[in-house]
Amino acid sequence: MIHDKTILIVDDEPRTREGIRKTLEGWSAGRNHIQTAESGVEAVEWLKKKPADLLITDVRMPEFSGLSLIEAIQHFSNKPVVLIMSGHADFQYAQQAMKLGVVEYMLKPIDKEQLLQTVEKALKFSEQQRRIQTMQEMVDPKLLDVKERGEQRLNSQISEALTYVDTHLGEHVTMREIADLLHLNSSYFSVLFKEQIGINFIEYLTRKRIQRAKELLVQTTMPISEIAEQVGYQTDKYFITVFKSLEGLSPSKYRHSLSERNNK
């Protein structure tokens, strides 16, 4: 079971709303937070103040429909995964809902087993989305710029140099070594690299190493000393200094902050 998640149920019919709440509370056994709102307006106000992992909303509600609610939260930074329910098999509603990113459309009356299966599936999807978002936020903006430059066609020798760096991050790599491999003068390679990439070779190598370190910090439980070695640093002390200079905090604090955020 998915633990410690917040689910918001929105329905103007008290019987339906309370029925779903009781079903989910029984399934959750106190492990998740189940909240309710009786209108789309109330739900929007609630979501402005607190994040939810999953929103379950009726489509047809007076004044402010479920679709209006979903549209209203599209710009929210912590947008929940959405399930919608309706007493009408209306294809047009379903079509509109899917365009807004709704993951499932459930017809009333909702079977309890179907509800629980759908909720579990949606919460797993929510976790995946959060992990993807975390990974995207971790990407060094300067490395993103490099990627965009690469899409605009780099010099073949510089492309080869980037590939070499990628495959030898854990080793002692020098600019002279790569220049020699490419049969180029070191000074010429240095100028060409900065011209094509936008940053100098040493900064690029450092940022690639720290980027890889961030991925290992989040995706594994490897000790800091081992991560330092994996990304080409001979001592964890120097690795920590370099990491802190780029990220503003130590590797262990970085790991802890992301882990804490993902578990909220």
Side-chain angles (χ1 to χ4, degrees):
M1 182 189 289
I2 308 286
H3 292 188
D4 200 27
K5 302 294 177 189
T6 299
I7 301 170
L8 178 62
I9 304 155
V10 189
D11 199 311
D12 61 308
E13 297 172 4
R15 191 174 170 183
T16 304
R17 189 173 66 244
E18 287 305 300
I20 292 172
R21 181 184 64 80
K22 284 178 183 174
T23 298
L24 293 183
E25 282 183 346
W27 158 80
S28 176
R31 295 182 186 94
N32 299 288
H33 310 288
I34 317 297
Q35 304 290 331
T36 62
E38 60 184 45
S39 72
V41 173
E42 187 186 332
V44 170
E45 289 307 308
W46 194 94
L47 289 165
K48 278 180 184 174
K49 297 169 192 167
K50 302 171 189 174
D53 297 280
L54 175 61
L55 170 66
I56 304 174
T57 180
D58 190 20
V59 168
R60 296 197 183 196
M61 291 185 289
E63 295 177 19
F64 203 76
S65 72
L67 290 178
S68 298
L69 163 59
I70 298 160
E71 284 172 347
I73 64 169
Q74 286 298 303
H75 66 282
F76 284 20
S77 56
N78 287 316
K79 193 173 68 172
V81 167
V82 183
L83 302 179
I84 60 169
M85 50 192 177
S86 174
H88 308 269
D90 193 322
F91 179 70
Q92 194 177 0
Y93 275 135
Q95 208 172 31
Q96 279 180 267
M98 296 305 168
K99 281 180 185 174
L100 291 168
V102 171
V103 299
E104 194 73 52
Y105 185 92
M106 299 184 290
L107 277 175
K108 293 179 179 179
I110 297 164
D111 175 76
K112 284 185 181 181
E113 279 305 309
Q114 183 205 358
L115 172 67
L116 297 180
Q117 283 174 14
T118 307
V119 164
E120 285 193 342
K121 178 181 162 188
L123 288 176
K124 281 176 185 170
F125 180 72
S126 171
E127 281 198 342
Q128 287 169 357
Q129 292 292 93
R130 188 169 286 189
R131 282 195 200 102
I132 290 166
Q133 187 182 354
T134 299
M135 295 307 288
Q136 287 171 340
E137 288 171 2
M138 279 166 50
V139 178
D140 185 321
K142 287 201 176 180
L143 293 181
L144 274 180
D145 289 344
V146 171
K147 191 180 177 186
E148 284 172 14
R149 283 169 180 261
E151 286 164 1
Q152 295 163 14
R153 289 194 170 181
L154 293 173
N155 172 296
S156 61
Q157 289 168 311
I158 296 301
S159 290
E160 199 176 326
L162 298 186
T163 302
Y164 186 88
V165 167
D166 280 348
T167 53
H168 295 80
L169 269 184
E171 300 166 26
H172 180 64
V173 177
T174 66
M175 185 172 69
R176 184 179 191 123
E177 176 191 339
I178 296 179
D180 287 348
L181 280 169
L182 299 173
H183 308 293
L184 295 174
N185 172 280
S186 290
S187 299
Y188 175 68
F189 173 74
S190 175
V191 171
L192 183 64
F193 191 93
K194 186 163 186 183
E195 185 184 275
Q196 293 259 302
I197 300 304
I199 54 178
N200 67 41
F201 177 78
I202 296 301
E203 184 180 352
Y204 176 77
L205 177 61
T206 301
R207 288 183 179 277
K208 284 295 286 186
R209 283 177 165 160
I210 297 306
Q211 179 63 42
R212 180 65 184 136
K214 289 193 289 185
E215 291 163 11
L216 291 171
L217 285 165
V218 173
Q219 295 170 350
T220 75
T221 56
M222 283 168 63
I224 305 299
S225 57
E226 202 174 319
I227 290 175
E229 192 180 330
Q230 286 268 331
V231 298
Y233 290 97
Q234 293 181 333
T235 69
D236 51 348
K237 189 178 178 182
Y238 182 56
F239 164 64
I240 291 165
T241 302
V242 175
F243 191 99
K244 204 169 180 179
S245 72
L246 275 182
E247 298 301 321
L249 69 173
S250 69
S252 56
K253 283 185 178 174
Y254 183 88
R255 172 181 265 167
H256 180 70
S257 67
L258 283 179
S259 171
E260 209 173 46
R261 195 176 73 182
N262 283 337
N263 289 327
K264 277 182 181 176

